mmCIF file of all heavy atoms in Angstrom:
data_model
loop_
_atom_site.group_PDB
_atom_site.id
_atom_site.type_symbol
_atom_site.label_atom_id
_atom_site.label_comp_id
_atom_site.label_asym_id
_atom_site.label_seq_id
_atom_site.Cartn_x
_atom_site.Cartn_y
_atom_site.Cartn_z
ATOM 1 N N LEU A 208 117.870 110.928 26.280
ATOM 2 C CA LEU A 208 118.341 111.111 27.658
ATOM 3 C C LEU A 208 119.582 110.299 27.948
ATOM 4 O O LEU A 208 120.546 110.766 28.575
ATOM 5 C CB LEU A 208 117.217 110.792 28.641
ATOM 6 C CG LEU A 208 116.023 111.727 28.678
ATOM 7 C CD1 LEU A 208 114.963 111.210 29.617
ATOM 8 C CD2 LEU A 208 116.494 113.114 29.117
ATOM 9 N N LEU A 209 119.598 109.065 27.434
ATOM 10 C CA LEU A 209 120.788 108.234 27.642
ATOM 11 C C LEU A 209 122.003 108.780 26.926
ATOM 12 O O LEU A 209 123.123 108.656 27.434
ATOM 13 C CB LEU A 209 120.519 106.801 27.147
ATOM 14 C CG LEU A 209 119.656 105.899 28.070
ATOM 15 C CD1 LEU A 209 119.487 104.519 27.432
ATOM 16 C CD2 LEU A 209 120.307 105.743 29.419
ATOM 17 N N SER A 210 121.771 109.420 25.768
ATOM 18 C CA SER A 210 122.916 109.992 25.057
ATOM 19 C C SER A 210 123.464 111.207 25.767
ATOM 20 O O SER A 210 124.667 111.530 25.697
ATOM 21 C CB SER A 210 122.505 110.374 23.640
ATOM 22 O OG SER A 210 121.562 111.439 23.654
ATOM 23 N N GLN A 211 122.625 111.897 26.543
ATOM 24 C CA GLN A 211 123.045 113.010 27.336
ATOM 25 C C GLN A 211 123.775 112.580 28.619
ATOM 26 O O GLN A 211 124.566 113.304 29.153
ATOM 27 C CB GLN A 211 121.865 113.887 27.723
ATOM 28 C CG GLN A 211 121.213 114.571 26.574
ATOM 29 C CD GLN A 211 119.900 115.322 26.983
ATOM 30 O OE1 GLN A 211 119.718 115.575 28.159
ATOM 31 N NE2 GLN A 211 119.105 115.663 26.036
ATOM 32 N N GLN A 212 123.531 111.347 29.038
ATOM 33 C CA GLN A 212 124.166 110.810 30.242
ATOM 34 C C GLN A 212 124.567 109.389 29.993
ATOM 35 O O GLN A 212 123.998 108.456 30.552
ATOM 36 C CB GLN A 212 123.197 110.941 31.442
ATOM 37 C CG GLN A 212 123.884 110.807 32.798
ATOM 38 C CD GLN A 212 122.906 110.886 33.946
ATOM 39 O OE1 GLN A 212 122.910 109.992 34.789
ATOM 40 N NE2 GLN A 212 122.057 111.881 33.968
ATOM 41 N N PRO A 213 125.554 109.173 29.117
ATOM 42 C CA PRO A 213 125.934 107.801 28.763
ATOM 43 C C PRO A 213 126.583 107.088 29.930
ATOM 44 O O PRO A 213 127.080 107.727 30.868
ATOM 45 C CB PRO A 213 126.957 108.019 27.625
ATOM 46 C CG PRO A 213 127.460 109.397 27.851
ATOM 47 C CD PRO A 213 126.309 110.171 28.401
ATOM 48 N N GLN A 214 126.591 105.746 29.890
ATOM 49 C CA GLN A 214 127.178 104.983 30.961
ATOM 50 C C GLN A 214 128.691 105.211 30.992
ATOM 51 O O GLN A 214 129.376 104.942 30.022
ATOM 52 C CB GLN A 214 126.880 103.459 30.704
ATOM 53 C CG GLN A 214 126.690 102.656 31.966
ATOM 54 C CD GLN A 214 127.923 102.438 32.769
ATOM 55 O OE1 GLN A 214 129.024 102.648 32.312
ATOM 56 N NE2 GLN A 214 127.764 102.047 34.034
ATOM 57 N N PRO A 215 129.231 105.796 32.034
ATOM 58 C CA PRO A 215 130.626 106.238 32.080
ATOM 59 C C PRO A 215 131.646 105.096 31.828
ATOM 60 O O PRO A 215 132.664 105.313 31.109
ATOM 61 C CB PRO A 215 130.808 106.858 33.497
ATOM 62 C CG PRO A 215 129.429 107.204 33.861
ATOM 63 C CD PRO A 215 128.510 106.173 33.295
ATOM 64 N N VAL A 216 131.440 103.955 32.431
ATOM 65 C CA VAL A 216 132.408 102.888 32.262
ATOM 66 C C VAL A 216 132.442 102.384 30.818
ATOM 67 O O VAL A 216 133.536 102.228 30.215
ATOM 68 C CB VAL A 216 132.076 101.681 33.208
ATOM 69 C CG1 VAL A 216 133.079 100.555 33.023
ATOM 70 C CG2 VAL A 216 132.101 102.162 34.692
ATOM 71 N N THR A 217 131.266 102.193 30.242
ATOM 72 C CA THR A 217 131.210 101.771 28.831
ATOM 73 C C THR A 217 131.803 102.822 27.914
ATOM 74 O O THR A 217 132.566 102.532 27.006
ATOM 75 C CB THR A 217 129.708 101.580 28.425
ATOM 76 O OG1 THR A 217 129.130 100.596 29.281
ATOM 77 C CG2 THR A 217 129.605 101.121 26.979
ATOM 78 N N MET A 218 131.515 104.106 28.212
ATOM 79 C CA MET A 218 132.033 105.218 27.414
ATOM 80 C C MET A 218 133.556 105.289 27.507
ATOM 81 O O MET A 218 134.243 105.543 26.465
ATOM 82 C CB MET A 218 131.401 106.519 27.885
ATOM 83 C CG MET A 218 131.676 107.737 27.011
ATOM 84 S SD MET A 218 130.846 109.179 27.634
ATOM 85 C CE MET A 218 131.404 110.431 26.443
ATOM 86 N N LEU A 219 134.114 105.037 28.715
ATOM 87 C CA LEU A 219 135.554 105.087 28.861
ATOM 88 C C LEU A 219 136.215 103.978 28.038
ATOM 89 O O LEU A 219 137.207 104.221 27.371
ATOM 90 C CB LEU A 219 135.876 104.909 30.386
ATOM 91 C CG LEU A 219 137.397 104.838 30.683
ATOM 92 C CD1 LEU A 219 138.081 106.138 30.327
ATOM 93 C CD2 LEU A 219 137.554 104.538 32.209
ATOM 94 N N TYR A 220 135.699 102.759 28.100
ATOM 95 C CA TYR A 220 136.264 101.652 27.330
ATOM 96 C C TYR A 220 136.173 101.950 25.842
ATOM 97 O O TYR A 220 137.125 101.705 25.082
ATOM 98 C CB TYR A 220 135.577 100.343 27.670
ATOM 99 C CG TYR A 220 136.116 99.688 28.935
ATOM 100 C CD1 TYR A 220 135.513 99.893 30.168
ATOM 101 C CD2 TYR A 220 137.227 98.876 28.853
ATOM 102 C CE1 TYR A 220 136.041 99.282 31.319
ATOM 103 C CE2 TYR A 220 137.732 98.267 30.010
ATOM 104 C CZ TYR A 220 137.159 98.467 31.230
ATOM 105 O OH TYR A 220 137.646 97.867 32.347
ATOM 106 N N GLU A 221 135.027 102.438 25.360
ATOM 107 C CA GLU A 221 134.847 102.701 23.934
ATOM 108 C C GLU A 221 135.802 103.779 23.468
ATOM 109 O O GLU A 221 136.372 103.710 22.390
ATOM 110 C CB GLU A 221 133.400 103.094 23.674
ATOM 111 C CG GLU A 221 132.421 101.931 23.790
ATOM 112 C CD GLU A 221 130.976 102.401 23.575
ATOM 113 O OE1 GLU A 221 130.728 103.636 23.488
ATOM 114 O OE2 GLU A 221 130.073 101.516 23.464
ATOM 115 N N LEU A 222 135.978 104.816 24.286
ATOM 116 C CA LEU A 222 136.832 105.972 23.922
ATOM 117 C C LEU A 222 138.276 105.463 23.793
ATOM 118 O O LEU A 222 138.988 105.832 22.789
ATOM 119 C CB LEU A 222 136.752 107.058 24.992
ATOM 120 C CG LEU A 222 137.684 108.253 24.809
ATOM 121 C CD1 LEU A 222 137.268 109.062 23.586
ATOM 122 C CD2 LEU A 222 137.666 109.114 26.040
ATOM 123 N N CYS A 223 138.747 104.670 24.717
ATOM 124 C CA CYS A 223 140.111 104.203 24.694
ATOM 125 C C CYS A 223 140.331 103.161 23.574
ATOM 126 O O CYS A 223 141.398 103.137 22.949
ATOM 127 C CB CYS A 223 140.488 103.620 26.031
ATOM 128 S SG CYS A 223 140.624 104.880 27.343
ATOM 129 N N GLN A 224 139.337 102.360 23.329
ATOM 130 C CA GLN A 224 139.475 101.333 22.254
ATOM 131 C C GLN A 224 139.630 101.989 20.902
ATOM 132 O O GLN A 224 140.366 101.530 20.046
ATOM 133 C CB GLN A 224 138.248 100.411 22.238
ATOM 134 C CG GLN A 224 138.281 99.365 23.375
ATOM 135 C CD GLN A 224 136.970 98.556 23.449
ATOM 136 O OE1 GLN A 224 136.051 98.807 22.691
ATOM 137 N NE2 GLN A 224 136.962 97.596 24.388
ATOM 138 N N LYS A 225 138.929 103.139 20.725
ATOM 139 C CA LYS A 225 139.066 103.856 19.421
ATOM 140 C C LYS A 225 140.500 104.361 19.214
ATOM 141 O O LYS A 225 140.945 104.451 18.058
ATOM 142 C CB LYS A 225 138.129 105.071 19.433
ATOM 143 C CG LYS A 225 136.648 104.709 19.237
ATOM 144 C CD LYS A 225 135.779 105.942 19.266
ATOM 145 C CE LYS A 225 134.280 105.601 19.095
ATOM 146 N NZ LYS A 225 133.469 106.793 19.162
ATOM 147 N N ASP A 226 141.203 104.649 20.302
ATOM 148 C CA ASP A 226 142.578 105.123 20.201
ATOM 149 C C ASP A 226 143.572 103.991 20.354
ATOM 150 O O ASP A 226 144.791 104.205 20.491
ATOM 151 C CB ASP A 226 142.830 106.199 21.279
ATOM 152 C CG ASP A 226 142.018 107.473 21.068
ATOM 153 O OD1 ASP A 226 141.652 107.709 19.881
ATOM 154 O OD2 ASP A 226 141.703 108.154 22.022
ATOM 155 N N GLY A 227 143.092 102.742 20.399
ATOM 156 C CA GLY A 227 143.955 101.580 20.526
ATOM 157 C C GLY A 227 144.620 101.485 21.922
ATOM 158 O O GLY A 227 145.672 100.907 22.061
ATOM 159 N N LYS A 228 143.938 101.992 22.941
ATOM 160 C CA LYS A 228 144.475 101.974 24.288
ATOM 161 C C LYS A 228 143.710 100.953 25.127
ATOM 162 O O LYS A 228 142.546 100.701 24.904
ATOM 163 C CB LYS A 228 144.448 103.373 24.945
ATOM 164 C CG LYS A 228 145.270 104.406 24.173
ATOM 165 C CD LYS A 228 145.116 105.775 24.826
ATOM 166 C CE LYS A 228 145.975 106.783 24.085
ATOM 167 N NZ LYS A 228 145.882 108.141 24.683
ATOM 168 N N GLN A 229 144.396 100.443 26.167
ATOM 169 C CA GLN A 229 143.794 99.455 27.061
ATOM 170 C C GLN A 229 143.470 100.090 28.387
ATOM 171 O O GLN A 229 144.284 100.744 29.001
ATOM 172 C CB GLN A 229 144.739 98.294 27.256
ATOM 173 C CG GLN A 229 144.153 97.172 28.117
ATOM 174 C CD GLN A 229 145.071 95.938 28.174
ATOM 175 O OE1 GLN A 229 146.088 95.885 27.515
ATOM 176 N NE2 GLN A 229 144.700 94.992 29.011
ATOM 177 N N VAL A 230 142.244 99.799 28.867
ATOM 178 C CA VAL A 230 141.748 100.345 30.158
ATOM 179 C C VAL A 230 141.790 99.269 31.214
ATOM 180 O O VAL A 230 141.394 98.095 30.945
ATOM 181 C CB VAL A 230 140.350 100.908 30.056
ATOM 182 C CG1 VAL A 230 139.850 101.373 31.397
ATOM 183 C CG2 VAL A 230 140.282 102.021 29.021
ATOM 184 N N ASP A 231 142.268 99.629 32.377
ATOM 185 C CA ASP A 231 142.228 98.675 33.538
ATOM 186 C C ASP A 231 141.715 99.418 34.745
ATOM 187 O O ASP A 231 142.284 100.490 35.078
ATOM 188 C CB ASP A 231 143.635 98.113 33.770
ATOM 189 C CG ASP A 231 143.652 96.993 34.818
ATOM 190 O OD1 ASP A 231 142.561 96.438 35.086
ATOM 191 O OD2 ASP A 231 144.698 96.702 35.395
ATOM 192 N N ILE A 232 140.691 98.921 35.369
ATOM 193 C CA ILE A 232 140.180 99.559 36.604
ATOM 194 C C ILE A 232 140.427 98.614 37.781
ATOM 195 O O ILE A 232 139.901 97.505 37.810
ATOM 196 C CB ILE A 232 138.683 99.886 36.457
ATOM 197 C CG1 ILE A 232 138.439 100.763 35.261
ATOM 198 C CG2 ILE A 232 138.162 100.549 37.768
ATOM 199 C CD1 ILE A 232 136.985 101.126 35.025
ATOM 200 N N LYS A 233 141.241 99.052 38.674
ATOM 201 C CA LYS A 233 141.628 98.221 39.824
ATOM 202 C C LYS A 233 140.884 98.678 41.109
ATOM 203 O O LYS A 233 140.656 99.882 41.276
ATOM 204 C CB LYS A 233 143.135 98.297 40.077
ATOM 205 C CG LYS A 233 143.971 97.771 38.869
ATOM 206 C CD LYS A 233 145.444 97.859 39.121
ATOM 207 C CE LYS A 233 146.243 97.326 37.955
ATOM 208 N NZ LYS A 233 147.684 97.412 38.190
ATOM 209 N N HIS A 234 140.530 97.709 41.944
ATOM 210 C CA HIS A 234 139.772 98.007 43.188
ATOM 211 C C HIS A 234 140.548 97.561 44.390
ATOM 212 O O HIS A 234 141.289 96.565 44.370
ATOM 213 C CB HIS A 234 138.442 97.219 43.150
ATOM 214 C CG HIS A 234 137.519 97.618 42.027
ATOM 215 N ND1 HIS A 234 136.610 98.601 42.115
ATOM 216 C CD2 HIS A 234 137.445 97.158 40.729
ATOM 217 C CE1 HIS A 234 135.966 98.717 40.967
ATOM 218 N NE2 HIS A 234 136.438 97.864 40.125
ATOM 219 N N TRP A 235 140.295 98.294 45.506
ATOM 220 C CA TRP A 235 140.732 97.780 46.823
ATOM 221 C C TRP A 235 139.877 98.457 47.878
ATOM 222 O O TRP A 235 139.208 99.455 47.621
ATOM 223 C CB TRP A 235 142.205 98.019 47.040
ATOM 224 C CG TRP A 235 142.635 99.388 47.312
ATOM 225 C CD1 TRP A 235 142.746 100.060 48.500
ATOM 226 C CD2 TRP A 235 143.049 100.390 46.319
ATOM 227 N NE1 TRP A 235 143.176 101.341 48.324
ATOM 228 C CE2 TRP A 235 143.410 101.551 47.029
ATOM 229 C CE3 TRP A 235 143.189 100.351 44.938
ATOM 230 C CZ2 TRP A 235 143.853 102.691 46.363
ATOM 231 C CZ3 TRP A 235 143.657 101.445 44.308
ATOM 232 C CH2 TRP A 235 143.950 102.626 44.990
#
């Protein structure tokens, strides 16, 4: 079930790290 609905923030960081890209999430 977790694999069908992975944690989006973790998945985003892992996806970008594989491509050598840096993720930044800014809040206001």
Side-chain angles (χ1 to χ4, degrees):
L208 289 175
L209 282 179
S210 67
Q211 293 174 18
Q212 197 180 130
Q214 215 289 344
V216 178
T217 302
M218 189 177 177
L219 177 63
Y220 277 95
E221 289 178 351
L222 176 68
C223 291
Q224 284 174 356
K225 286 179 181 178
D226 295 333
K228 298 178 179 179
Q229 183 175 354
V230 177
D231 186 18
I232 303 179
K233 299 180 179 179
H234 298 268
W235 72 91

